[in-house]
Amino acid sequence: MKNQNFANRLSFALNGIKHAFKNESSFRAQLLLAVIAIVYFYWLGVTMVWWTILIMIIALILAMELLNTSIEALADHLHPEVHPTIKIVKDLAAGAVLILSVAAVIFAVLTSINFWH
């Protein structure tokens, strides 16, 4: 699979996103929240700097959600039984998504305060 051309690599990546969208409710929820945030920021009329930060936060959350999903899938495939170490790994990945999500909420609140004053 190494050294594939760009079109193949792009196809692999899009297939991964498509799989997450079809099979992962957390990914769909994060996408919905991203759309809501985009609409809200549009309504606020924020400047380009705020848009740039928002897009980066959305990208980080969605990328981390994909990484979390891949870790869970690989761990479940390699060790389908419940195992304490694998549980820790999965919990750590979920925690990373949570940290980014909380940061996004804080960012939205601070942005709102900035534009409501």
Side-chain angles (χ1 to χ4, degrees):
M1 288 297 234
K2 289 188 75 115
N3 299 321
Q4 296 280 325
N5 64 40
F6 177 77
N8 286 347
R9 292 188 314 239
L10 180 61
S11 176
F12 298 151
L14 292 174
N15 285 339
I17 294 168
K18 182 177 158 183
H19 173 82
F21 184 80
K22 284 184 174 182
N23 298 296
E24 295 295 327
S25 61
S26 294
F27 187 76
R28 290 190 303 274
Q30 296 287 6
L31 276 174
L32 176 61
L33 292 170
V35 169
I36 291 168
I38 288 168
V39 169
Y40 178 65
F41 272 50
Y42 179 79
W43 179 77
L44 277 180
V46 300
T47 61
M48 188 60 68
V49 171
W50 295 99
W51 277 113
T52 303
I53 297 168
L54 176 67
I55 297 305
M56 289 304 300
I57 289 173
I58 289 170
L60 283 168
I61 291 171
L62 293 177
M64 185 54 70
E65 191 66 54
L66 290 172
L67 186 58
N68 180 42
T69 297
S70 67
I71 289 168
E72 288 179 352
L74 182 60
D76 290 345
H77 175 75
L78 294 176
H79 202 291
E81 307 84 38
V82 176
H83 188 279
T85 304
I86 290 177
K87 180 185 181 322
I88 291 169
V89 169
K90 292 165 87 173
D91 290 351
L92 288 167
V97 175
L98 178 62
I99 288 171
L100 283 170
S101 298
V102 169
V105 170
I106 293 168
F107 171 72
V109 168
L110 293 175
T111 304
S112 296
I113 291 168
N114 184 59
F115 280 87
W116 283 102
H117 278 85

mmCIF file of all heavy atoms in Angstrom, residues 42-67:
data_model
loop_
_atom_site.group_PDB
_atom_site.id
_atom_site.type_symbol
_atom_site.label_atom_id
_atom_site.label_comp_id
_atom_site.label_asym_id
_atom_site.label_seq_id
_atom_site.Cartn_x
_atom_site.Cartn_y
_atom_site.Cartn_z
ATOM 1 N N TYR A 42 -21.279 33.058 11.342
ATOM 2 C CA TYR A 42 -21.752 33.881 10.225
ATOM 3 C C TYR A 42 -22.740 34.921 10.733
ATOM 4 O O TYR A 42 -22.671 36.097 10.386
ATOM 5 C CB TYR A 42 -22.389 33.005 9.147
ATOM 6 C CG TYR A 42 -22.916 33.791 7.982
ATOM 7 C CD1 TYR A 42 -22.051 34.257 6.997
ATOM 8 C CD2 TYR A 42 -24.266 34.079 7.880
ATOM 9 C CE1 TYR A 42 -22.532 35.002 5.929
ATOM 10 C CE2 TYR A 42 -24.756 34.822 6.819
ATOM 11 C CZ TYR A 42 -23.889 35.272 5.848
ATOM 12 O OH TYR A 42 -24.370 36.014 4.798
ATOM 13 N N TRP A 43 -23.665 34.471 11.588
ATOM 14 C CA TRP A 43 -24.665 35.361 12.167
ATOM 15 C C TRP A 43 -24.001 36.450 13.018
ATOM 16 O O TRP A 43 -24.418 37.604 12.997
ATOM 17 C CB TRP A 43 -25.656 34.546 12.996
ATOM 18 C CG TRP A 43 -26.711 35.378 13.649
ATOM 19 C CD1 TRP A 43 -27.819 35.919 13.068
ATOM 20 C CD2 TRP A 43 -26.751 35.763 15.028
ATOM 21 N NE1 TRP A 43 -28.545 36.623 14.002
ATOM 22 C CE2 TRP A 43 -27.908 36.549 15.214
ATOM 23 C CE3 TRP A 43 -25.929 35.525 16.122
ATOM 24 C CZ2 TRP A 43 -28.267 37.087 16.438
ATOM 25 C CZ3 TRP A 43 -26.273 36.065 17.335
ATOM 26 C CH2 TRP A 43 -27.435 36.831 17.495
ATOM 27 N N LEU A 44 -22.956 36.082 13.760
ATOM 28 C CA LEU A 44 -22.226 37.073 14.564
ATOM 29 C C LEU A 44 -21.487 38.094 13.701
ATOM 30 O O LEU A 44 -21.230 39.207 14.135
ATOM 31 C CB LEU A 44 -21.199 36.391 15.467
ATOM 32 C CG LEU A 44 -21.632 35.807 16.796
ATOM 33 C CD1 LEU A 44 -20.441 35.191 17.512
ATOM 34 C CD2 LEU A 44 -22.311 36.836 17.683
ATOM 35 N N GLY A 45 -21.128 37.702 12.501
ATOM 36 C CA GLY A 45 -20.368 38.591 11.626
ATOM 37 C C GLY A 45 -18.919 38.745 12.053
ATOM 38 O O GLY A 45 -18.370 39.853 12.020
ATOM 39 N N VAL A 46 -18.304 37.651 12.446
ATOM 40 C CA VAL A 46 -16.929 37.702 12.949
ATOM 41 C C VAL A 46 -15.944 38.021 11.829
ATOM 42 O O VAL A 46 -16.238 37.862 10.651
ATOM 43 C CB VAL A 46 -16.534 36.377 13.650
ATOM 44 C CG1 VAL A 46 -17.436 36.093 14.823
ATOM 45 C CG2 VAL A 46 -16.541 35.216 12.679
ATOM 46 N N THR A 47 -14.768 38.451 12.234
ATOM 47 C CA THR A 47 -13.709 38.796 11.284
ATOM 48 C C THR A 47 -12.949 37.541 10.842
ATOM 49 O O THR A 47 -13.114 36.455 11.400
ATOM 50 C CB THR A 47 -12.725 39.793 11.919
ATOM 51 O OG1 THR A 47 -12.133 39.170 13.064
ATOM 52 C CG2 THR A 47 -13.424 41.083 12.326
ATOM 53 N N MET A 48 -12.089 37.725 9.866
ATOM 54 C CA MET A 48 -11.342 36.609 9.283
ATOM 55 C C MET A 48 -10.494 35.860 10.313
ATOM 56 O O MET A 48 -10.354 34.639 10.230
ATOM 57 C CB MET A 48 -10.456 37.123 8.145
ATOM 58 C CG MET A 48 -9.780 36.025 7.356
ATOM 59 S SD MET A 48 -10.935 34.883 6.553
ATOM 60 C CE MET A 48 -11.681 35.933 5.341
ATOM 61 N N VAL A 49 -9.934 36.563 11.267
ATOM 62 C CA VAL A 49 -9.119 35.901 12.295
ATOM 63 C C VAL A 49 -9.963 34.881 13.063
ATOM 64 O O VAL A 49 -9.536 33.751 13.291
ATOM 65 C CB VAL A 49 -8.495 36.941 13.257
ATOM 66 C CG1 VAL A 49 -7.845 36.269 14.448
ATOM 67 C CG2 VAL A 49 -7.504 37.820 12.533
ATOM 68 N N TRP A 50 -11.174 35.278 13.448
ATOM 69 C CA TRP A 50 -12.053 34.367 14.184
ATOM 70 C C TRP A 50 -12.461 33.183 13.309
ATOM 71 O O TRP A 50 -12.555 32.049 13.783
ATOM 72 C CB TRP A 50 -13.280 35.119 14.702
ATOM 73 C CG TRP A 50 -12.936 36.152 15.723
ATOM 74 C CD1 TRP A 50 -12.794 37.495 15.512
ATOM 75 C CD2 TRP A 50 -12.649 35.931 17.103
ATOM 76 N NE1 TRP A 50 -12.450 38.129 16.685
ATOM 77 C CE2 TRP A 50 -12.356 37.191 17.681
ATOM 78 C CE3 TRP A 50 -12.621 34.806 17.919
ATOM 79 C CZ2 TRP A 50 -12.041 37.343 19.022
ATOM 80 C CZ3 TRP A 50 -12.318 34.967 19.254
ATOM 81 C CH2 TRP A 50 -12.024 36.222 19.791
ATOM 82 N N TRP A 51 -12.727 33.442 12.023
ATOM 83 C CA TRP A 51 -13.060 32.354 11.097
ATOM 84 C C TRP A 51 -11.898 31.359 10.990
ATOM 85 O O TRP A 51 -12.119 30.147 10.980
ATOM 86 C CB TRP A 51 -13.381 32.902 9.705
ATOM 87 C CG TRP A 51 -14.777 33.368 9.547
ATOM 88 C CD1 TRP A 51 -15.205 34.652 9.364
ATOM 89 C CD2 TRP A 51 -15.959 32.556 9.571
ATOM 90 N NE1 TRP A 51 -16.568 34.675 9.276
ATOM 91 C CE2 TRP A 51 -17.062 33.408 9.395
ATOM 92 C CE3 TRP A 51 -16.192 31.189 9.730
ATOM 93 C CZ2 TRP A 51 -18.378 32.950 9.359
ATOM 94 C CZ3 TRP A 51 -17.498 30.724 9.696
ATOM 95 C CH2 TRP A 51 -18.568 31.597 9.518
ATOM 96 N N THR A 52 -10.709 31.877 10.909
ATOM 97 C CA THR A 52 -9.530 31.013 10.792
ATOM 98 C C THR A 52 -9.394 30.114 12.022
ATOM 99 O O THR A 52 -9.161 28.906 11.896
ATOM 100 C CB THR A 52 -8.262 31.868 10.616
ATOM 101 O OG1 THR A 52 -8.431 32.699 9.462
ATOM 102 C CG2 THR A 52 -7.028 31.004 10.459
ATOM 103 N N ILE A 53 -9.566 30.704 13.189
ATOM 104 C CA ILE A 53 -9.480 29.916 14.425
ATOM 105 C C ILE A 53 -10.594 28.868 14.464
ATOM 106 O O ILE A 53 -10.353 27.712 14.808
ATOM 107 C CB ILE A 53 -9.529 30.832 15.663
ATOM 108 C CG1 ILE A 53 -8.315 31.760 15.682
ATOM 109 C CG2 ILE A 53 -9.610 30.012 16.947
ATOM 110 C CD1 ILE A 53 -8.410 32.892 16.695
ATOM 111 N N LEU A 54 -11.814 29.281 14.099
ATOM 112 C CA LEU A 54 -12.933 28.337 14.097
ATOM 113 C C LEU A 54 -12.669 27.150 13.171
ATOM 114 O O LEU A 54 -12.864 25.994 13.563
ATOM 115 C CB LEU A 54 -14.233 29.036 13.681
ATOM 116 C CG LEU A 54 -15.451 28.111 13.561
ATOM 117 C CD1 LEU A 54 -15.849 27.559 14.917
ATOM 118 C CD2 LEU A 54 -16.610 28.824 12.879
ATOM 119 N N ILE A 55 -12.223 27.418 11.968
ATOM 120 C CA ILE A 55 -11.964 26.339 11.005
ATOM 121 C C ILE A 55 -10.878 25.404 11.528
ATOM 122 O O ILE A 55 -10.978 24.175 11.399
ATOM 123 C CB ILE A 55 -11.589 26.924 9.622
ATOM 124 C CG1 ILE A 55 -12.761 27.728 9.043
ATOM 125 C CG2 ILE A 55 -11.146 25.822 8.664
ATOM 126 C CD1 ILE A 55 -14.078 26.978 8.943
ATOM 127 N N MET A 56 -9.845 25.961 12.146
ATOM 128 C CA MET A 56 -8.789 25.111 12.707
ATOM 129 C C MET A 56 -9.322 24.245 13.843
ATOM 130 O O MET A 56 -8.985 23.060 13.947
ATOM 131 C CB MET A 56 -7.612 25.964 13.191
ATOM 132 C CG MET A 56 -6.809 26.591 12.072
ATOM 133 S SD MET A 56 -6.176 25.379 10.879
ATOM 134 C CE MET A 56 -5.181 24.348 11.922
ATOM 135 N N ILE A 57 -10.163 24.813 14.700
ATOM 136 C CA ILE A 57 -10.730 24.036 15.799
ATOM 137 C C ILE A 57 -11.615 22.923 15.261
ATOM 138 O O ILE A 57 -11.539 21.772 15.716
ATOM 139 C CB ILE A 57 -11.500 24.953 16.776
ATOM 140 C CG1 ILE A 57 -10.514 25.819 17.569
ATOM 141 C CG2 ILE A 57 -12.381 24.134 17.722
ATOM 142 C CD1 ILE A 57 -11.177 26.879 18.427
ATOM 143 N N ILE A 58 -12.457 23.244 14.282
ATOM 144 C CA ILE A 58 -13.323 22.225 13.682
ATOM 145 C C ILE A 58 -12.468 21.111 13.071
ATOM 146 O O ILE A 58 -12.741 19.925 13.278
ATOM 147 C CB ILE A 58 -14.267 22.846 12.632
ATOM 148 C CG1 ILE A 58 -15.328 23.704 13.323
ATOM 149 C CG2 ILE A 58 -14.913 21.769 11.769
ATOM 150 C CD1 ILE A 58 -16.169 24.547 12.374
ATOM 151 N N ALA A 59 -11.448 21.488 12.325
ATOM 152 C CA ALA A 59 -10.575 20.489 11.698
ATOM 153 C C ALA A 59 -9.893 19.611 12.741
ATOM 154 O O ALA A 59 -9.811 18.384 12.576
ATOM 155 C CB ALA A 59 -9.535 21.183 10.815
ATOM 156 N N LEU A 60 -9.415 20.213 13.814
ATOM 157 C CA LEU A 60 -8.758 19.437 14.873
ATOM 158 C C LEU A 60 -9.726 18.442 15.526
ATOM 159 O O LEU A 60 -9.364 17.287 15.762
ATOM 160 C CB LEU A 60 -8.180 20.370 15.939
ATOM 161 C CG LEU A 60 -6.892 21.083 15.571
ATOM 162 C CD1 LEU A 60 -6.593 22.189 16.579
ATOM 163 C CD2 LEU A 60 -5.740 20.099 15.497
ATOM 164 N N ILE A 61 -10.934 18.898 15.814
ATOM 165 C CA ILE A 61 -11.909 18.012 16.454
ATOM 166 C C ILE A 61 -12.276 16.853 15.529
ATOM 167 O O ILE A 61 -12.294 15.686 15.951
ATOM 168 C CB ILE A 61 -13.166 18.787 16.886
ATOM 169 C CG1 ILE A 61 -12.823 19.725 18.042
ATOM 170 C CG2 ILE A 61 -14.291 17.831 17.274
ATOM 171 C CD1 ILE A 61 -13.939 20.691 18.394
ATOM 172 N N LEU A 62 -12.565 17.158 14.266
ATOM 173 C CA LEU A 62 -12.945 16.089 13.336
ATOM 174 C C LEU A 62 -11.781 15.129 13.102
ATOM 175 O O LEU A 62 -11.981 13.904 13.047
ATOM 176 C CB LEU A 62 -13.440 16.683 12.023
ATOM 177 C CG LEU A 62 -14.754 17.461 12.111
ATOM 178 C CD1 LEU A 62 -15.103 18.073 10.758
ATOM 179 C CD2 LEU A 62 -15.887 16.584 12.631
ATOM 180 N N ALA A 63 -10.567 15.663 12.977
ATOM 181 C CA ALA A 63 -9.403 14.794 12.796
ATOM 182 C C ALA A 63 -9.185 13.920 14.022
ATOM 183 O O ALA A 63 -8.897 12.715 13.902
ATOM 184 C CB ALA A 63 -8.158 15.638 12.509
ATOM 185 N N MET A 64 -9.338 14.475 15.210
ATOM 186 C CA MET A 64 -9.170 13.690 16.427
ATOM 187 C C MET A 64 -10.265 12.641 16.550
ATOM 188 O O MET A 64 -10.017 11.523 17.011
ATOM 189 C CB MET A 64 -9.131 14.596 17.657
ATOM 190 C CG MET A 64 -8.827 13.851 18.945
ATOM 191 S SD MET A 64 -7.315 12.843 18.903
ATOM 192 C CE MET A 64 -6.083 14.108 18.863
ATOM 193 N N GLU A 65 -11.462 12.984 16.133
ATOM 194 C CA GLU A 65 -12.555 12.010 16.152
ATOM 195 C C GLU A 65 -12.242 10.842 15.216
ATOM 196 O O GLU A 65 -12.477 9.678 15.553
ATOM 197 C CB GLU A 65 -13.867 12.687 15.754
ATOM 198 C CG GLU A 65 -15.090 11.836 15.988
ATOM 199 C CD GLU A 65 -15.361 11.560 17.463
ATOM 200 O OE1 GLU A 65 -15.451 12.509 18.258
ATOM 201 O OE2 GLU A 65 -15.490 10.371 17.806
ATOM 202 N N LEU A 66 -11.687 11.138 14.043
ATOM 203 C CA LEU A 66 -11.276 10.075 13.120
ATOM 204 C C LEU A 66 -10.156 9.226 13.725
ATOM 205 O O LEU A 66 -10.161 7.992 13.610
ATOM 206 C CB LEU A 66 -10.822 10.665 11.784
ATOM 207 C CG LEU A 66 -11.905 11.280 10.908
ATOM 208 C CD1 LEU A 66 -11.273 11.997 9.714
ATOM 209 C CD2 LEU A 66 -12.895 10.228 10.444
ATOM 210 N N LEU A 67 -9.195 9.873 14.361
ATOM 211 C CA LEU A 67 -8.104 9.144 15.004
ATOM 212 C C LEU A 67 -8.636 8.261 16.134
ATOM 213 O O LEU A 67 -8.243 7.093 16.261
ATOM 214 C CB LEU A 67 -7.053 10.119 15.524
ATOM 215 C CG LEU A 67 -5.778 9.522 16.089
ATOM 216 C CD1 LEU A 67 -5.075 8.657 15.057
ATOM 217 C CD2 LEU A 67 -4.854 10.628 16.554
#
